[in-house]
Structures are given as C-alpha cells and as structure tokens.
Amino acid sequence: MKIYEEIISAGFGGQGVLLAGTLIAQSALEQNLKTTWFPSYGAEMRGGTANSTVIVSNEEIGSPVAFAPSALIALNKPSLDKFLPRMKEDAVVIANSSLIPQEEYNDKRIVFISIMEIADKQVGNIKAANMVAVGALVKRIQAPSLEHVLKGLETAFAAKPKLIPLNIKAVNAGYNWTK
C-alpha cells in the first residue's frame, strides 16, 4: 500500500505548530517511513505566523514542498484562511474551534474541535493544545500511527522527560475526541 501524506501545521508563533510538525516527522521515522520537515515562521518569537510542512511516505520524497496537501492542522483563523484553498478535495482539516468561528465556514473537510478547551479541561494544560490537534489528526490519516506518535513523543521530549506523560495524555485526548 502506498503511503503519502502532505501535512501542514499552522498557527501563531507560540502555539507549538513547529513542534507538532517535528513530532509528526519523528513519528514517521519511528514507523520506518521517509519524511521531510520544512518550517516557516516570522521574525517574532510569539504572535507572528508559523507553519511547518511534513511529508510522510513509504517511498522516496522528491521535494519538501507540499503541492497538494492532504492534511491541515489550523490553530487559528488566519492559518485556516491561508491554507484551506490549497488543500486536496479529500483533505483532512483539523480546525481549532476555540479560536475559529465555525459559522464562517461551509466546508465538509473541516473537523472543528475545541482544541484549547480540551487541552485545558481534559489534559490540564492549555500549552498542550498542539498535541491535542496532533492526536485528532493522526486518527484520520494514513500515517503516522498513534503508536508511533506516542513513541515519537519519547524521542522528541527526551531532554524534558517530565513533559512526556502530559503530552501523551494530550495526544490521546485528541485521538479519542468525538463530537
């Protein structure tokens, strides 16, 4: 079976979109898949725009540029507005309804999730919102798998092992989210 995902994670600087992309790429490596990770961010440390593009495949990847993105994590409205028009017709779009008004969009691809509320109330730390979004996404795409994302967390947070349980909880909360 051919695996090929072009995933964009986007939001404001400080929302952890680059870390979300890094985790997806690391998880693909844990699954013995090929991957690229391409970050993009403004000069501001927090509050500016940031996004990362991750390509995951079981075949060689020719370019780190996403030509037809198959998945999007949009943590804010400007990111959804910017990337939604580029998405494939059957793309998976995870949108943060904590910051994005649902009534402004009529697109069947968008799955609105109150990511920040889940991070705050179920996980106990709003800073884990990016991991909630990753969990929601991996449930709906081919790769990486949840098992490999949880494994990837251990590698990504090896320097800060105290954060691993919190982030596992956040990924699981997003993965197990239902309307």
Side-chain angles (χ1 to χ4, degrees):
M1 171 175 78
K2 182 177 179 177
I3 294 173
Y4 191 81
E5 297 283 358
E6 293 182 352
I7 305 161
I8 296 174
S9 173
F12 294 127
Q15 286 186 301
V17 296
L18 299 182
L19 179 58
T22 301
L23 175 60
I24 293 167
Q26 180 63 46
S27 302
L29 292 174
E30 299 285 347
Q31 199 168 331
N32 292 318
L33 296 169
K34 299 185 179 18
T35 189
T36 63
W37 176 72
F38 188 74
S40 176
Y41 47 90
E44 307 90 355
M45 282 292 278
R46 294 193 179 275
T49 60
N51 67 79
S52 67
T53 301
V54 178
I55 299 177
V56 175
S57 179
N58 56 357
E59 298 177 356
E60 291 296 320
I61 300 168
S63 170
V65 177
F67 295 103
S70 56
L72 170 65
I73 293 172
L75 294 182
N76 62 23
K77 185 179 184 323
S79 296
L80 184 59
D81 292 341
K82 178 179 180 177
F83 291 107
L84 188 60
R86 293 182 46 199
M87 304 307 294
K88 285 173 43 175
E89 194 173 304
D90 62 345
V92 173
V93 178
I94 303 297
N96 181 10
S97 65
S98 300
L99 295 177
I100 302 170
Q102 296 180 46
E103 62 277 359
E104 292 184 21
Y105 299 90
N106 186 22
D107 191 314
K108 64 180 170 55
R109 299 174 294 181
I110 304 174
V111 178
F112 284 99
I113 303 174
S114 55
I115 293 168
M116 293 168 70
E117 184 177 317
I118 292 168
D120 185 32
K121 293 185 178 165
Q122 290 182 30
V123 180
N125 191 328
I126 200 159
K127 291 180 181 178
N130 59 338
M131 295 297 127
V132 172
V134 169
L137 179 70
V138 298
K139 185 174 187 173
R140 293 163 174 84
I141 61 174
Q142 276 187 298
S145 70
L146 176 63
E147 171 190 351
H148 291 97
V149 169
L150 298 178
K151 218 173 167 185
L153 273 170
E154 293 177 12
T155 304
F157 287 95
K160 298 179 181 179
K162 290 182 180 180
L163 296 177
I164 294 172
L166 173 78
N167 285 285
I168 287 173
K169 186 176 180 181
V171 168
N172 282 321
Y175 189 87
N176 294 318
W177 175 85
T178 58
K179 282 189 176 182

